[in-house]
Amino acid sequence: MADQLIRATAADGGIRAVGVITTRLTEEARQRHKLSYVATAALGRTMAGGLLLASSMKRAESRVNIRVRGDGPLGGVLADAGLDGTVRGYVDHPEVELPPNAKGKLDVGGAIGQDGYVYVVRDVGYGYPYSSTVELVSGEIGDDLTNYLASSEQTPSALVLGVFVGADGVTAAGGILIQVMPKAATDDELVALLESRIESLQGFTPLLQAGKTLPMIFEDLLGDLGLEILPETQMVRFYCGCSFDRVLGALKLLGEAELQDMIEKDEGAEAICHFCGEVYKADSNQLTQLIGELRDVEG
């Protein structure tokens, strides 16, 4: 099934639901960053969460940046997602691996750690991003982002994220976000009903592995509550806007002396994009050209 995002409403607009499948883009991230099993799960969940959070924004250029940093060996996990369906991300220590947890699942919580913070930056497209910080709840990503939504946005929400990665790579990944909108938030019975149904789910990836589509998952959860699935299916993908020109621009900021030192010692320069792992190389001639451009500006 292609990577995609769909939106739905229920209870006369009192419930907002978003679902995303991110299997292919998570596999691409795994390959690009040479991620371990647990690092793949951590980054995959965070990227899916970023796409779900970005889905409610309005302007086409809106983006959400999620950084999860705990006291576990994985270090930080960062994902950058846009309303346009693009997402990218990386892990500080992609090689870290841990034994399965007590439930026999990938120990994302142990890899992230439970002592730390989730930082969420929302850029709504006007050039004035705003940020929120909440403490980690479990390090499992889904719980932590649910806590963020309740604490920072005062929106009763349930976020279920999952990544299944085996010997052949990622075979299922994505998540669902269910939110009770303000006009229905005072309906205690509705909120309790949704909570019980979310709690009854045995994760997200088992549903995909059982052949469930996003509309089928929504039907199971909200079909008796006036479910309306919006007609547009949005494609999502791993995408990084880095380029060789941007790398050259960054190298120029180092100044003439540093560039000359690179020419003499290394006969060039190499830069690696943290977000996508792309390697860019500039040779001595290109660095000499940058020095010339700097001198032209100074002159």
Side-chain angles (χ1 to χ4, degrees):
M1 190 179 301
D3 287 354
Q4 58 189 260
L5 182 146
I6 69 169
R7 300 170 174 85
T9 62
D12 295 323
I15 295 173
R16 174 178 177 269
V18 188
V20 67
I21 294 175
T22 57
T23 305
R24 294 180 182 178
L25 69 86
T26 304
E27 172 62 13
E28 180 173 347
R30 185 190 71 83
Q31 294 183 20
R32 282 181 173 274
H33 295 301
K34 299 178 174 59
L35 300 172
S36 68
Y37 285 78
V38 73
T40 300
L43 180 56
R45 291 180 191 180
T46 308
M47 291 193 299
L51 287 167
L52 290 172
L53 294 188
S55 69
S56 64
M57 303 176 83
K58 304 302 181 184
R59 292 173 61 88
E61 58 269 38
S62 301
R63 300 197 71 81
V64 172
N65 186 287
I66 301 173
R67 185 172 183 85
V68 183
R69 177 168 289 279
D71 59 348
L74 209 57
V77 180
L78 192 144
D80 173 68
L83 178 63
D84 62 358
T86 62
V87 66
R88 57 182 184 164
Y90 65 90
V91 177
D92 283 348
H93 302 292
E95 76 287 350
V96 167
E97 193 65 276
L98 293 179
N101 59 24
K103 297 180 179 179
K105 297 183 178 181
L106 292 172
D107 192 6
V108 174
I112 295 290
Q114 296 185 15
D115 186 10
Y117 296 90
V118 177
Y119 309 90
V120 178
V121 179
R122 287 181 176 268
D123 185 346
V124 296
Y126 292 103
Y128 301 100
Y130 61 95
S131 61
S132 300
T133 303
V134 296
E135 292 186 359
L136 287 175
V137 174
S138 67
E140 293 286 344
I141 310 299
D143 297 336
D144 303 298
L145 292 180
T146 297
N147 180 55
Y148 155 75
L149 289 168
S151 301
S152 297
E153 302 193 4
Q154 284 77 52
T155 305
S157 308
L159 191 65
V160 181
L161 304 171
V163 174
F164 186 88
V165 53
D168 296 326
V170 179
T171 57
I176 53 175
L177 171 64
I178 309 291
Q179 295 184 297
V180 180
M181 307 313 291
K183 69 176 185 178
T186 56
D187 188 338
D188 294 336
E189 290 186 5
L190 177 62
V191 172
L193 176 63
L194 286 176
E195 288 178 347
S196 66
R197 290 187 180 180
I198 293 295
E199 289 175 0
S200 68
L201 291 178
Q202 299 299 312
F204 181 75
T205 53
L207 300 176
L208 297 184
Q209 291 171 318
K212 295 277 189 178
T213 63
L214 291 175
M216 291 167 67
I217 293 171
F218 283 159
E219 185 66 34
D220 291 342
L221 287 170
L222 306 169
D224 59 341
L225 297 174
L227 173 68
E228 292 187 18
I229 297 177
L230 303 187
E232 180 187 2
T233 296
Q234 181 181 16
M235 296 297 106
V236 297
R237 63 192 175 104
F238 187 101
Y239 172 77
C240 184
C242 66
S243 67
F244 187 59
D245 286 341
R246 289 190 177 187
V247 170
L248 292 179
L251 287 172
K252 190 185 293 187
L253 295 176
L254 296 176
E256 181 177 341
E258 185 68 24
L259 292 173
Q260 189 63 48
D261 187 62
M262 290 179 177
I263 293 173
E264 295 174 358
K265 292 183 178 179
D266 303 315
E267 299 183 352
E270 180 177 287
I272 302 176
C273 177
H274 282 301
F275 278 105
C276 69
E278 195 70 32
V279 178
Y280 296 95
K281 296 182 179 181
D283 60 28
S284 297
N285 292 333
Q286 290 164 322
L287 296 185
T288 299
Q289 182 176 344
L290 292 182
I291 291 175
E293 293 173 1
L294 287 172
R295 289 175 177 172
D296 289 341
V297 173
E298 292 174 356

